């Protein structure tokens, strides 16, 4: 297998886990909010990983997702609310937004989107084999040199895509699923503050 090198951007998402009551009424009360949250997550825009994904990305559009490469920061704020966190990681500053669960955005020196990281919940497909069948053969795939993760790698004009799977060593018969995707523009990256 090839080893993949490059830039990776890590976003740490915290989960708040609450306790459960043994009464049946408490259990039924818990299932209703969970069902609403699941429907909301399903209604959130997802990156559509299909035969049009790379064609759209060549035009700096992310198929099925409302953030585009080159979009101004004000546009992202109008869609996803205020910035809730800024953090420096691996050569860039990522921004989390109050209404963008499972995602972070990077801006260049002119406040244009040059990169985005999305967790698996924001992808239309997470099975790596299915992604390859739908999107096409990756430029490269294998273990990342920067992390012990399996990665498939695509290029679309000036945009690079990495789709990561957390677990490269799986038991026989198990499928490998993506846990996140990173898209960044090489030209705009060069103009980003560090």
């Amino acid at each position: 297998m090839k080893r993949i090198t490059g830039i990776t951007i890590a976003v740490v998402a915290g989960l708040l886990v609450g306790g459960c009551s043994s009464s049946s009424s408490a259990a039924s009360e818990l299932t209703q909010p969970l069902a609403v949250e699941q429907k909301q997550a399903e209604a959130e825009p997802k990156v559509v990983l299909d035969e049009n994904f790379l064609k759209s990305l060549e035009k700096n559009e992310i198929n099925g997702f409302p953030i585009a490469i080159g979009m101004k920061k004000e546009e992202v704020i109008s869609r996803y609310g205020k910035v809730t966190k800024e953090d420096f990681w691996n050569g860039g500053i990522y921004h989390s937004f109050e209404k963008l669960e499972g995602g972070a955005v990077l801006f260049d020196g002119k406040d244009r989107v040059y990169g985005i990281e999305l967790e698996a919940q924001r992808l239309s497909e997470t099975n790596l084999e299915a992604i390859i069948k739908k999107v096409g053969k990756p430029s490269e795939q294998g273990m990342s040199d920067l992390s012990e993760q399996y990665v498939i790698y695509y290029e679309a004009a000036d945009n690079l895509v990495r789709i990561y799977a957390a677990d490269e060593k799986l038991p026989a018969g198990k499928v490998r699923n993506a846990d996140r995707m990173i898209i960044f523009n090489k030209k705009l990256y060069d103009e980003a503050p560090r």
Side-chain angles (χ1 to χ4, degrees), residues 15-23 25-31 33-34:
L15 296 175
L16 179 62
V17 179
C20 295
S21 170
S22 61
S23 76
S25 65
S28 66
E29 289 173 13
L30 287 175
T31 58
L34 291 175

Side-chain angles (χ1 to χ4, degrees), residues 26-47:
S28 66
E29 289 173 13
L30 287 175
T31 58
Q32 289 176 348
L34 291 175
V36 170
E37 286 177 23
Q38 183 176 2
K39 286 180 183 176
Q40 286 174 337
E42 290 171 3
E44 290 292 324
K46 294 185 178 197
V47 175

Side-chain angles (χ1 to χ4, degrees), residues 89-107:
W89 182 259
N90 204 22
I93 300 171
Y94 74 81
H95 299 74
S96 298
F97 293 86
E98 62 186 349
K99 297 177 188 171
L100 182 59
E101 285 288 321
V105 182
L106 292 102
F107 298 95

Side-chain angles (χ1 to χ4, degrees), residues 1-193:
M1 277 186 208
K2 289 185 177 181
R3 292 216 116 348
I4 309 300
T5 60
I7 298 170
T8 185
I9 304 160
V11 175
V12 179
L15 296 175
L16 179 62
V17 179
C20 295
S21 170
S22 61
S23 76
S24 61
S25 65
S28 66
E29 289 173 13
L30 287 175
T31 58
Q32 289 176 348
L34 291 175
V36 170
E37 286 177 23
Q38 183 176 2
K39 286 180 183 176
Q40 286 174 337
E42 290 171 3
E44 290 292 324
K46 294 185 178 197
V47 175
V48 178
L49 295 167
D50 64 9
E51 66 278 356
N52 295 317
F53 173 71
L54 294 175
K55 292 175 196 167
S56 293
L57 199 54
E58 286 176 356
K59 298 181 277 185
N60 293 329
E61 298 169 359
I62 302 172
N63 194 17
F65 203 73
I67 296 176
I69 299 297
M71 180 181 278
K72 296 297 280 181
K73 189 174 186 178
E74 305 91 52
E75 295 175 83
V76 177
I77 289 170
S78 71
R79 169 114 181 123
Y80 287 106
K82 67 180 181 176
V83 174
T84 57
K85 183 177 181 180
E86 289 182 14
D87 205 353
F88 180 79
W89 182 259
N90 204 22
I93 300 171
Y94 74 81
H95 299 74
S96 298
F97 293 86
E98 62 186 349
K99 297 177 188 171
L100 182 59
E101 285 288 321
V105 182
L106 292 102
F107 298 95
D108 70 2
K110 297 179 182 173
D111 280 342
R112 299 173 297 184
V113 173
Y114 81 84
I116 185 166
E117 179 170 354
L118 298 168
E119 293 178 6
Q121 73 213 43
R122 294 282 184 174
L123 308 177
S124 67
E125 179 63 64
T126 58
N127 177 279
L128 293 190
E129 289 178 22
I131 291 169
I132 291 169
K133 283 181 184 174
K134 291 177 180 182
V135 175
K137 184 180 176 187
S139 304
E140 295 182 54
Q141 63 183 4
M143 291 300 293
S144 169
D145 279 343
L146 301 175
S147 65
E148 288 302 313
Q149 293 182 305
Y150 193 83
V151 62
I152 59 177
Y153 177 85
Y154 290 100
E155 292 184 50
D158 291 324
N159 298 302
L160 304 176
V161 179
R162 290 194 175 92
I163 302 173
Y164 289 87
D167 193 0
E168 190 267 335
K169 296 178 182 175
L170 295 173
K174 298 288 183 182
V175 295
R176 181 176 289 120
N177 287 322
D179 67 350
R180 65 192 167 97
M181 176 174 68
I182 297 171
I183 300 172
F184 71 93
N185 183 281
K186 295 180 285 189
K187 285 185 177 179
L188 296 180
Y189 170 77
D190 291 337
E191 298 177 22

